[in-house]
Amino acid sequence: MKSIKYWGTACLLLLGMTACIDDESTLATGNLRAINITSPGTKDTIYVGYLDHLSITPSVSSGSESATGGLTYLWEIGDEPGKKPENFITLSEDAQLNAVINSEISSSPYMLRLTVTDTKNENLKYSKLWQVYVQSSFIDGIAVSSTLDDKTSDFSLIMNKDLTVNYDRNDKIYHNILRSATGAPCDRLLTQLTFSVYSGSFTSTSTENSIWAVTADGALYRYDTKDFSLDGTSLNGDNILTYTANIPKFTSTFIGHNLLFAISDKTIYSLTPASASTFGWQDETTSQYTIDNNVVITSPTSGNYNVFWLDSKTGHIIGLNYTMGTTIMYDNALAAKDGVFDPQDMGNYSAIAGGYTSDGKRPAFLMKNKTTGEYSICLLTFYQASIWNEDYTVELVPEQIPAAERRIDIPHAGKELLDKAVSVFFARNQAILYVVTADGVYGINFATNTPEVYTLKSATIIQYTIKGRFMSR
């Protein structure tokens, strides 16, 4: 009995001691608030353009009341498409998401996750998921290469409902596309751009649209316009050149007769963009000539005689003819006009600029006299194909080969501008030559034989180098 008594005393003492201890735990004594996350106005499946802004304003509530006190936010997106990415990339720690999406374009969705942490209740976490499809934002428009340091380059894209296919919204400009996508611009200076369509029609979903870019040191780059990712370079590999043992230095590219030409110090290459994307052997037809100053007149349409240049070796204006799938050069077919100029006797001139002008059909060169330094616009007639009767037995209108039509000498005021020009180009459908200098943009109207020089008052001078081309059909 004694032992039992002692045991009972010990139990009572233990119970008494326990009853005197204060409860200092941090467990909630009331009801925990349940956090609900919704996204009014934003569906659970989201489609966003590459390098476009994605904005989501979530609604975070507890019951019928909004709950914001003591909450932290973390927006993340999967590092790869799929429902179970290995890692997530942080986009924002703000309550609202406003982020530029630079995830790779994919036909499968990325997982976007918002995690809300309740710091007032043991850091309990609540989350909501969205599926995000990243699509190409870049339709056609004006692609521009610019530099701020004369060493590196970046792209901008201008989209406008008047020049962009299937685009009916306000003007939109994407700046610094490479830097936004990768964190760095191109490490070279891009000096000339050409747009081409590979395998399919321009608007086809299976089409690969490319920009070919020549660098200041003679490299040739190819960019995929769906995201402006680098798709090949002439410096290594075989994505641009089949054979790279003797790497050429490129100076220019152009499209003519549905062919893509690349001018280099070794030869002139060509390929058919509809079926090929790599240059192989030299183009035998064009490689026999030396294109003066890399000035080539090209038309956006196919057909005969829509590519012209001045050959610096012969002094002839060359016309490229396309007949039955074959390119044929004509260096003695363009006729002279008395008292105007002779396309076969231009050895004392340098080509400064060229383009289709006036009515959009007539090719024109801006030439500079090597002896006097004076400038002249040499205008050619347009090509006219033969017209026959219905059974092709009588030729109603004979074929008309382009020939010399007019020469317009530039006055002294225009010469002063041209001598300090940083860019010179023809208006496609007007008799106007545009001249860009460091301090203004000017026009030379050559509709008459007495050209008028004027200033474009509404023009804006951008203080860095720009090279642009239409990404269009």
Side-chain angles (χ1 to χ4, degrees):
M1 290 298 295
K2 186 181 293 184
S3 61
I4 293 175
K5 180 179 179 181
Y6 290 160
W7 180 86
T9 304
C11 286
L12 291 173
L13 180 61
L14 180 60
L15 289 172
M17 293 174 61
T18 303
C20 294
I21 296 176
D22 293 331
D23 184 1
E24 297 180 352
S25 67
T26 59
L27 292 175
T29 57
N31 295 326
L32 292 175
R33 59 175 178 177
I35 302 298
N36 300 311
I37 306 172
T38 59
S39 55
T42 303
K43 297 181 179 180
D44 290 344
T45 299
I46 302 170
Y47 295 87
V48 63
Y50 178 72
L51 295 188
D52 271 348
H53 281 82
L54 176 59
S55 298
I56 301 177
T57 302
S59 174
V60 180
S61 62
S62 174
S64 60
E65 299 179 356
S66 93
T68 57
L71 302 181
T72 63
Y73 302 83
L74 179 63
W75 295 88
E76 301 170 292
I77 193 167
D79 63 346
E80 59 184 359
K83 295 182 178 180
K84 296 181 179 180
E86 292 187 6
N87 300 290
F88 279 83
I89 301 171
T90 298
L91 295 178
S92 175
E93 295 182 0
D94 295 330
Q96 299 178 1
L97 176 65
N98 185 21
V100 175
I101 302 301
N102 60 3
S103 302
E104 291 185 5
I105 296 170
S106 175
S107 58
S108 299
Y110 290 84
M111 297 306 300
L112 174 66
R113 181 173 69 190
L114 168 60
T115 302
V116 178
T117 302
D118 188 351
T119 61
K120 290 185 177 181
N121 289 289
E122 289 297 313
N123 292 324
L124 291 176
K125 297 181 184 298
Y126 304 84
S127 63
K128 177 173 175 57
L129 298 174
W130 293 264
Q131 289 186 325
V132 177
Y133 288 87
V134 180
Q135 303 173 319
S136 177
S137 303
F138 309 133
I139 316 175
D140 64 316
I142 301 177
V144 178
S145 169
S146 60
T147 181
L148 295 174
D149 57 9
D150 289 328
K151 297 178 182 179
T152 62
S153 300
D154 211 327
F155 285 108
S156 296
L157 178 65
I158 304 169
M159 295 197 302
N160 172 278
K161 61 185 177 182
D162 294 327
L163 57 87
T164 302
V165 175
N166 299 328
Y167 185 82
D168 58 1
R169 290 170 283 173
N170 294 330
D171 294 356
K172 189 166 188 176
I173 303 177
Y174 291 91
H175 291 293
N176 302 319
I177 294 175
L178 300 182
R179 190 184 298 275
S180 299
T182 65
C186 173
D187 61 355
R188 282 178 163 81
L189 188 64
L190 304 179
T191 58
Q192 191 258 342
L193 308 177
T194 298
F195 174 74
S196 72
V197 178
Y198 168 62
S199 182
S201 64
F202 172 72
T203 56
S204 171
T205 56
S206 62
T207 293
E208 297 179 19
N209 298 326
S210 302
I211 283 184
W212 300 78
V214 177
T215 70
D217 57 353
L220 181 59
Y221 285 10
R222 184 178 64 226
Y223 289 90
D224 188 337
T225 62
K226 76 174 185 293
D227 56 5
F228 282 83
S229 58
L230 184 62
D231 191 36
T233 170
S234 62
L235 300 176
N236 52 62
D238 57 4
N239 284 342
I240 297 291
L241 289 173
T242 303
Y243 307 102
T244 56
N246 189 11
I247 300 176
K249 288 188 177 296
F250 291 91
T251 55
S252 182
T253 56
F254 66 92
I255 295 287
H257 295 299
N258 298 319
L259 298 176
L260 173 65
F261 294 89
I263 307 170
S264 76
D265 60 342
K266 303 272 191 302
T267 187
I268 298 178
Y269 299 89
S270 69
L271 61 81
T272 304
S275 58
S277 59
T278 303
F279 291 106
W281 301 106
Q282 70 177 12
D283 185 89
E284 294 292 343
T285 305
T286 58
S287 291
Q288 58 186 305
Y289 298 96
T290 301
I291 299 176
D292 187 67
N293 208 22
N294 292 320
V295 173
V296 180
I297 300 176
T298 61
S299 169
T301 62
S302 59
N304 296 345
Y305 292 102
N306 68 359
V307 179
F308 301 88
W309 64 72
L310 174 64
D311 178 42
S312 59
K313 291 189 297 185
T314 64
H316 294 184
I317 293 178
I318 309 299
L320 180 61
N321 187 23
Y322 188 77
T323 303
M324 301 298 290
T326 302
T327 54
I328 305 173
M329 303 305 303
Y330 286 89
D331 63 359
N332 57 2
L334 308 186
K337 185 175 182 180
D338 291 341
V340 180
F341 69 94
D342 184 355
Q344 299 178 50
D345 186 18
M346 305 296 291
N348 197 38
Y349 289 87
S350 294
I352 305 301
Y356 278 82
T357 186
S358 298
D359 55 5
K361 298 179 181 180
R362 286 172 168 78
F365 284 98
L366 174 65
M367 299 289 195
K368 183 176 183 179
N369 190 300
K370 295 178 181 179
T371 303
T372 65
E374 299 294 331
Y375 298 88
S376 298
I377 295 174
C378 296
L379 196 67
L380 299 170
T381 59
F382 62 87
Y383 173 79
Q384 173 64 60
S386 300
I387 299 177
W388 296 75
N389 62 354
E390 291 184 359
D391 56 2
Y392 288 90
T393 57
V394 178
E395 185 179 29
L396 303 177
V397 178
E399 180 184 42
Q400 299 177 30
I401 305 299
E405 183 178 26
R406 292 174 59 210
R407 190 186 81 186
I408 304 98
D409 294 328
I410 303 298
H412 181 72
K415 180 182 184 304
E416 287 185 330
L417 294 173
L418 289 168
D419 283 341
K420 61 180 181 179
V422 297
S423 180
V424 182
F425 55 95
F426 285 94
R428 182 174 294 278
N429 294 308
Q430 293 176 292
I432 295 176
L433 177 71
Y434 289 109
V435 182
V436 182
T437 69
D439 56 3
V441 179
Y442 305 87
I444 300 177
N445 187 333
F446 58 92
T448 67
N449 289 328
T450 305
E452 175 191 359
V453 181
Y454 61 95
T455 302
L456 275 69
K457 295 182 180 180
S458 61
T460 299
I461 304 301
I462 303 174
Q463 297 296 336
Y464 47 83
T465 304
I466 293 179
K467 299 290 181 181
R469 281 292 175 92
F470 280 98
M471 290 167 49
S472 66
R473 295 160 295 174

